[in-house]
Amino acid sequence: MRSIVCIKRVPDSEARIRVAGDGKHIDPSGVKFVMNPYGEYALEEAMRLRDAAGEGSVTVMTLGPDEARETLLSALAMGADEAVLLRAEGSSEGSMEGLAVARALADEIAARTYDLLFFGKQAIDDDNMQVPAMVAELLDLPCATVVVDLSVQDGRAVARREVEGGHETVEFALPGVVAAQKGLNEPRYPSLKGIMAAKKKPLEEKDVELRAAKLELIGLEPPPGRPEPVIVGEGPEAVPELVRRLREEARVL
Amino acid sequence: MGDVLAYAELRNGELRQVARETVSAARALADELGGQVHVVALGASGTSAAVEELSRYGADRLLVAEDEEFGTYHPDAATKAVQEVMSSGSYEAVLFPASAQGKDLSARVAARLDRGLASEVTDIEVENGEPVVRRPQYAGKVYARLRFLERPALISLRPNVFVPQERSGQGSVEQLHIEPAPARARVSGVERGEREVLDVREASVVVSGGRGLQDPDNWRLLEDLVDALGSGATLGASRAVVDAGWRPHGEQVGQTGKVVSPNLYFAVGISGAIQHLAGMRTANVIVAVNKDSEAPIFGVADYGIIGDLFEVLPRLTEEIRMLASQGR
Ligand SMILES: Cc1cc2nc3c(=O)[nH]c(=O)nc-3n(C[C@H](O)[C@H](O)[C@H](O)COP(=O)(O)OP(=O)(O)OC[C@H]3O[C@@H](n4cnc5c(N)ncnc54)[C@H](O)[C@@H]3O)c2cc1C
Ligand SMILES: Nc1ncnc2c1ncn2[C@@H]1O[C@H](COP(=O)(O)O)[C@@H](O)[C@H]1O
């Protein structure tokens, strides 16, 4: 089983996000960057398939600034075999457009051989949920997104997807695209040995030119404010007053 | 010019609420652009009857392709069908719901047609005669305003944000003849929950429980409240209780769960971690019940009760039942 796993460097989910002075980027100072959590599920699944098959490889790939090398190193430490950094200078990850990213990844992937392409279902910075299905279209591959269970046998994949109010099973012949949702597996932590070994694994770097954007960012803004919180009271005695307010003030009952 | 195409999502031959939302948003946009609203719907035979309702939300033309193959969503077939409809008109914008299906479809259409896509949009305005959208990023910690450099603009709309608006209209159904594309991936099974549960993304009221409930059996208390609130209400959960195996992942609200924007959100025994807030802070009204007055959830709640949920919940359910029995 040969897999390519596309991972992304994103701000930690706890990070405080502030808009930078130019109004178009986030201020990276004080922000801790980590591997996109959905990418961890994707990587874990690819490694499990490789290990179960007893042969094959896991290649991790990311598109981003120089700093994204760190993310690849942590993937190598977790157990990936090799890494590819597509360096797009001047682009902060959150500001890259889905289709431009998909195209750059697809161009690189097209020259490689693989059984499965893994993605996280969503990047937690742009929250786009675009890239996996776009890459599948660009490479003319079958694709299952929001996958919570996967089995591969005799050159076919069976994926269980989460959809509104239930699940759906999708089957396709390899090669194909899988976008991982939480629940697919429990990602491992890098071991000390893994961290040492990572430094010796191949890490290829290439400069890429992102295609001209089709969307223009006018600006980033703080979220709409919420009204001042009201503590209605304490204990069950406060319930009638809550219900009155929900009905008369907020008009939601 | 100025026409807007809306994708109407169906499930089991019935319109989903997001279809009404999408068409209403398309109508509002087309009115500002001075164009028409066309609706594209795909389904098994008999779909037209269900889709007709959308003329009440402002559709001028209802383009319906019926084929057994369209009875369940097949990405390859749907992508080709929507692409064909798009190439038959000249659209300023194409609107999709940001549902599981709509997000999948819109990304594929964007790749095929080589157009920019803005997903999970919460607001559309028209500036200088062109659509400008607003969408949350970084789990709603920042909003981006975007314009489109090419046409059509592809937009997916966050469910439950755009309000369906009825108006008088007379769009009629036109049958399309579209040959479904062969599927590269086959949908071989569909499972629904034991009862047809309303998805948290689509419910108008969400009652979410957290670790404060202490035991999965105590969900009975939340279920009673949901029942009292009526058919638009459903259950949600924090990650802590999903990870503990008390609740299914489909109910998880937050950064690694679902992002919800209901009219009313109850957070019961939930502390309000930043990753949970990411999933519900755009709810219209938030109510928190927590015994810890310092819990961060009270920082975003419109209304809070400090207290033991095991005492507060039964009383709340009782009061809401009373309201319902009085016809409100
Ligand atoms: C990458 C990442 C992603 C994450 N994604 C999500 C996500 O999508 N969704 C999510 O929810 N979390 C997410 N989390 C986890 C999040 O950080 C919190 O751990 C989680 O939300 C806590 O769940 P909780 O509020 O149920 O539990 P707790 O934090 O333990 O809170 C329980 C609350 O119940 C109250 N309580 C206890 N007993 C009672 C009682 N008798 N009456 C009233 N109140 C009572 C307590 O005062 C407390 O405030 C994520 C974390 C990470 C690192
Ligand atoms: N810059 C990137 N480099 C590598 N993979 C990416 C990048 N951006 C997005 N992806 C992949 O696409 C998935 C969905 O991202 P998005 O469409 O941006 O929400 C992510 O989980 C990654 O697997």
Side-chain angles (χ1 to χ4, degrees), chain A residues 5-10 36-40 42 60-65 68 72 84 86 91 93-94 96-99 101-102 105 118-135 178-180 210, chain B residues 107 119 135:
Chain A
V5 186
C6 292
I7 56 176
K8 191 179 186 187
R9 173 181 181 263
V10 298
N36 185 39
Y38 296 108
E40 294 185 5
V60 285
M61 187 180 290
T62 195
L63 174 68
L72 293 174
V84 182
L86 303 176
S91 60
E93 296 91 329
M96 288 189 290
E97 184 172 303
L99 193 51
V101 171
L105 292 173
F118 280 97
F119 293 84
K121 68 138 189 171
Q122 170 177 354
I124 65 163
D125 51 1
D126 56 45
D127 288 329
N128 264 338
M129 263 182 115
Q130 295 183 0
V131 172
M134 285 175 169
V135 170
V178 169
L210 275 193
Chain B
S119 29
R135 64 177 301 271

Side-chain angles (χ1 to χ4, degrees), chain A residues 13-14 37 124, chain B residues 209-214 237-241 252-258 268-276 289-292 295-296 307-310:
Chain A
S13 63
E14 295 272 355
I124 65 163
Chain B
R211 190 143 43 193
L213 270 98
Q214 290 168 15
S238 75
R239 173 164 169 175
V241 301
Q252 184 181 318
V253 171
Q255 190 152 19
T256 41
K258 291 176 180 164
V268 182
I270 291 179
S271 58
I274 191 159
Q275 297 95 347
H276 188 80
V289 179
N290 199 302
K291 67 177 184 189
D292 174 10
D308 184 354
L309 68 91
F310 297 102

Side-chain angles (χ1 to χ4, degrees), chain A residues 5 7 43 47 50 57-60 72-83 188 197-198 201-202:
Chain A
V5 186
I7 56 176
L43 175 57
M47 295 192 299
R50 174 197 63 193
S57 61
V58 175
T59 304
V60 285
L72 293 174
L73 282 171
S74 49
L76 292 172
M78 281 169 75
D81 300 294
E82 53 168 15
R188 68 192 75 178
K201 291 180 178 173

Side-chain angles (χ1 to χ4, degrees), chain A residues 43 75 87 89 111 115-116 166 169 185-187 230 241:
Chain A
L43 175 57
R87 204 168 24 213
E89 270 320 324
D115 300 302
L116 277 170
T169 306
N185 52 45
E186 206 44 67
V230 176
E241 173 63 4

